[in-house]
Amino acid sequence: PEVMKILFVSSVLPYPLHSGGQVRIYNLLKRLSKKHEITLFSFIRSEDERIHLKNLSFCKKVITIFRGHAWQPIYVFRSFCSTYPFLYTTYNNRFMKDAIEKELADDSYDLVHIEPGYVWPSIPSLDIPLVVSEHNIEHEIYASYVAGFPMAAIRPFLSWDVRKMALWERNIWNAAVRVTAVSDVDKKYMSDVVDSKKISLVPNGVDLPSFPFVPKKKSIAETMTFLFVGNFSWIQNRNALEYLLKDIWPAVRLKHPKALLRIVGKHIPSALLSSIDTAHTTLLEFVDSIQEELHKADIMLAPIRIGGGTKYKILEAQASGLAVITTTLGAQGMGLVNGKQILIADAIPDVLEAVEILLNEKTKTLLVTAARRHIEEHYSWDTIARSLDQTWQEAYGQKR
């Protein structure tokens, strides 16, 4: 049918917009609820989160189930005794499963959508289509983390956990009627595991009116302000910041002594705090407006070395007219051309060269203008929501 009843299960309450997952789910639900009747089941980490339910009033109803934070002894213990990997074990919640089962028994739904796939352990047996939406290839991110884990004695257990995660990803994707990926790179990986016909591309995006294009007009040759943005609860952001503070920033400061660095993000590890040169670096755990930070800065540094998917920090910076220097991995999956919409720098000399390129005002203007055009054409949430709607329609069409 054109209009459907969707039961949507989220790993995180999609408000406030503090993480990429929250931004994605909030924007998709807000747009698709204008057409469909959506009931949201969401895990929460704190009872305080329930004060935000009023911001999700576009859903028909919202049911929250307490999960708490992942690193609890009970979750660690269960992961030793379970076929599920540790991450999946934290979402193996009988209260959520019972609540979903009751909802499906009491009301009629056209399909169930889960996001991301690791909430699967809380999904009861279904007789309606299942759509699984992934934000990353999770086991690849954890494999990168395990490879650099400092305690060698623990690595074998972590590696086993990675293998369990890869196995469950395969099982879940095969159980779904449709699976969505956020990038062509992720989609290609999935197509080696499941039938490519069931995989749809539903990328991450930008709310364009919230991130107006305001390119810099002043010369940055004298004093440059660099920006790094990230939620440090995530492995990839902690790794990128460590690389930035210990390797990249000293090299930049040596060549540009007046340069300033602003770091925006919560949950920064205490071990990294000692690496911050407070004379030239400002740490902001919370900001009233990320848009203001994007407009204050001259260059975004995003030295991402772990992770997949597409990066909100890069999309939002480019939408706002801020030049971005990132790695090959950071730019991956977004159709960006080095030197045209973004500057790719995988080593320290490349970063320094990219900074020099951006000192040319004409070159920088051409780059940020092309980047904004690319975002408008490919990463508007309105366009992306239509892609997910099409995926839902196709999934319903295969209803057994």
Side-chain angles (χ1 to χ4, degrees):
E2 188 68 15
V3 179
M4 290 186 286
K5 288 181 68 174
I6 310 292
L7 193 152
F8 194 111
V9 185
S10 171
S11 65
V12 61
L13 192 72
Y15 204 89
L17 308 182
H18 285 164
S19 71
Q22 289 173 307
V23 170
R24 175 183 173 85
I25 294 170
Y26 175 84
N27 279 284
L28 289 173
L29 289 178
K30 185 177 180 180
R31 286 159 175 79
L32 288 168
S33 63
K34 294 175 182 176
K35 178 177 181 181
H36 303 294
E37 186 179 291
I38 301 175
T39 293
L40 172 65
F41 280 74
S42 176
F43 286 97
I44 56 174
R45 278 94 177 128
S46 165
E47 299 295 344
D48 295 341
E49 291 183 61
R50 292 198 168 98
I51 66 172
H52 299 298
L53 295 184
K54 62 182 181 294
N55 298 103
L56 301 171
S57 59
F58 42 77
C59 293
K60 182 192 176 188
K61 58 182 172 180
V62 180
I63 293 90
T64 58
I65 301 292
F66 182 78
R67 165 190 176 262
H69 294 281
W71 289 105
Q72 299 181 45
I74 185 64
Y75 291 146
V76 175
F77 174 75
R78 284 179 186 171
S79 70
F80 278 104
C81 311
S82 173
T83 60
Y84 287 127
F86 171 70
L87 177 63
Y88 285 54
T89 300
T90 70
Y91 289 98
N92 189 3
N93 188 301
R94 68 181 179 87
F95 297 106
M96 177 65 87
K97 183 177 284 189
D98 289 348
I100 294 172
E101 195 164 38
K102 183 177 186 305
E103 182 69 22
L104 291 173
D106 292 347
D107 205 345
S108 175
Y109 284 86
D110 293 309
L111 63 83
V112 172
H113 175 113
I114 69 173
E115 187 160 342
Y118 48 70
V119 303
W120 164 268
S122 287
I123 306 304
S125 178
L126 301 174
D127 58 6
I128 57 175
L130 172 69
V131 174
V132 176
S133 188
E134 297 288 18
H135 298 174
N136 299 285
I137 307 300
E138 295 293 340
H139 85 269
E140 291 188 339
I141 294 175
Y142 282 93
S144 299
Y145 169 70
V146 170
F149 194 75
M151 299 173 67
I154 298 178
R155 276 187 216 143
F157 167 71
L158 297 177
S159 296
W160 172 237
D161 208 52
V162 170
R163 288 194 289 274
K164 287 199 291 184
M165 187 176 290
L167 175 64
W168 274 106
E169 284 175 342
R170 179 187 295 263
N171 291 343
I172 294 163
W173 299 341
N174 276 294
V177 170
R178 282 287 187 278
V179 183
T180 78
V182 299
S183 72
D184 287 326
V185 175
D186 288 2
K187 184 178 179 182
K188 184 178 185 303
Y189 174 86
M190 290 175 173
S191 67
D192 292 334
V193 176
V194 296
D195 184 355
S196 61
K197 294 177 182 177
K198 70 158 63 176
I199 307 167
S200 304
L201 185 62
V202 182
N204 296 323
V206 181
D207 182 26
L208 293 175
S210 297
F211 291 88
F213 183 58
V214 186
K216 293 284 181 181
K217 292 188 168 57
K218 71 178 181 68
S219 171
I220 61 173
E222 279 298 310
T223 304
M224 287 177 285
T225 300
F226 292 84
L227 178 67
F228 179 92
V229 178
N231 182 335
F232 302 112
S233 297
W234 303 106
I235 296 165
Q236 50 266 50
N237 289 329
R238 295 197 299 270
N239 179 272
L241 182 61
E242 181 178 13
Y243 177 42
L244 172 60
L245 292 174
K246 294 185 177 178
D247 298 310
I248 295 175
W249 187 237
V252 171
R253 286 265 299 114
L254 192 63
K255 195 161 187 181
H256 303 280
K258 294 183 180 179
L260 303 173
L261 174 64
R262 293 173 73 83
I263 300 167
V264 177
K266 58 181 182 176
H267 307 308
I268 184 169
S270 56
L272 290 179
L273 289 173
S274 60
S275 303
I276 295 177
D277 169 17
T278 54
H280 297 90
T281 304
T282 302
L283 173 62
L284 301 162
E285 189 170 10
F286 296 99
V287 295
D288 292 331
S289 168
I290 189 61
Q291 291 88 337
E292 283 186 24
E293 290 300 320
L294 293 171
H295 294 315
K296 284 178 185 175
D298 298 300
I299 298 171
M300 170 174 278
L301 292 174
I304 298 162
R305 300 188 296 177
I306 297 175
T310 49
K311 318 304 182 294
Y312 289 95
K313 61 175 73 71
I314 293 175
L315 293 173
E316 291 170 353
Q318 292 191 310
S320 303
L322 181 60
V324 178
I325 300 173
T326 189
T327 57
T328 299
L329 185 60
Q332 177 180 279
M334 292 191 281
L336 297 166
V337 178
N338 185 26
K340 183 178 179 182
Q341 302 114 343
I342 201 162
L343 293 176
I344 295 175
D346 291 314
I348 306 298
D350 301 328
V351 174
L352 298 177
E353 182 182 348
V355 172
E356 293 302 315
I357 289 171
L358 293 174
L359 292 179
N360 183 306
E361 288 299 307
K362 183 178 179 181
T363 301
K364 181 166 69 70
T365 299
L366 289 172
L367 184 133
V368 298
T369 303
R372 171 70 186 201
R373 190 180 307 118
H374 185 77
I375 297 296
E376 289 174 346
E377 291 173 359
H378 301 285
Y379 293 102
S380 161
W381 280 122
D382 293 330
T383 301
I384 294 165
R386 286 194 290 271
S387 297
L388 182 55
D389 181 34
Q390 178 63 31
T391 299
W392 285 351
Q393 300 290 345
E394 292 169 357
Y396 181 83
Q398 291 187 241
K399 191 172 183 179
R400 292 186 291 275

